[in-house]
Amino acid sequence: MRRPSTMRLYLAAGATALLAASGCSGDPAEGRSSDAPDLPGEGASNKVAATLGVADDTAAGKVVTDSDGYTLYTYAGDGADPSYSACTGECAEQWPPALVQGRVSTKGVDKSLVDRMERTEGGTQITLSGRPLYRFSGDVDPGDVNGQGADGTWFAVRPSGARADNLPHGEEEGTGGLPGD
């Protein structure tokens, strides 16, 4: 698998930051589902703000995706009971939290595993089996799994909430990680 160029990584990071800043997560009418969970703290909004789906054929196997089809990851440094995120600051720039305002629908993901948590620096992050979910700024196209195995701590997440163990890059490093690690 070809590794993304530095310029593509910068463009992907910029696009991710722009989407996060504007609150965009795709067309809210897309992915409306009768199995949209009523999550704590969602307010009275009936609008579907995000959809967790499943990509069946990535290099890491079957993984959970966001509304735009991008792979979602978990971080080994986070907690699941209670849910908390250890990825802040520079980390959250490279691994943007999967934030949501409003309802979350699911397609292929057990809605009873989906919840949310408040981040210390603000925003509401989606969790799966208690673990916070993130995108990777190095994933340029939907279905990319360039962060899989990064630093031996970042892994794409399966619909069951377990981490994906397939390492398409051949080692527990992926292409991710923080600069200087």
Side-chain angles (χ1 to χ4, degrees):
M1 173 173 246
R2 195 180 95 227
R3 292 183 185 240
S5 70
T6 302
M7 179 56 83
R8 287 183 76 187
L9 288 175
Y10 286 128
L11 290 172
T16 301
L18 181 61
L19 285 172
S22 67
C24 293
S25 62
D27 180 358
E30 247 180 67
R32 288 188 188 268
S33 172
S34 62
D35 60 345
D38 294 324
L39 298 176
E42 75 174 295
S45 174
N46 287 329
K47 185 166 92 171
V48 173
T51 300
L52 294 183
V54 177
D56 293 320
D57 59 353
T58 74
K62 184 182 276 194
V63 298
V64 176
T65 61
D66 67 7
S67 298
D68 299 319
Y70 285 88
T71 302
L72 293 174
Y73 298 86
T74 60
Y75 175 52
D78 286 348
D81 188 23
S83 299
Y84 71 88
S85 171
C87 181
T88 60
E90 282 185 50
C91 176
E93 290 176 22
Q94 188 159 7
W95 298 92
L99 301 177
V100 67
Q101 292 179 350
R103 292 182 51 187
V104 177
S105 69
T106 61
K107 288 185 178 180
V109 177
D110 182 350
K111 69 181 177 183
S112 71
L113 300 176
V114 180
D115 206 346
R116 59 180 70 217
M117 57 164 264
E118 296 300 318
R119 292 185 55 83
T120 56
E121 67 276 10
T124 302
Q125 188 169 3
I126 302 171
T127 65
L128 185 63
S129 291
R131 296 207 166 272
L133 299 178
Y134 305 84
R135 279 179 68 167
F136 174 51
S137 61
D139 284 348
V140 179
D141 297 309
D144 283 354
V145 289
N146 295 319
Q148 176 65 357
D151 300 325
T153 59
W154 289 94
F155 294 91
V157 63
R158 299 225 183 272
S160 66
R163 78 178 205 185
D165 287 323
N166 303 20
L167 296 172
H169 306 291
E171 54 191 63
E172 283 205 16
E173 289 187 16
T175 58
L178 293 173
D181 281 353

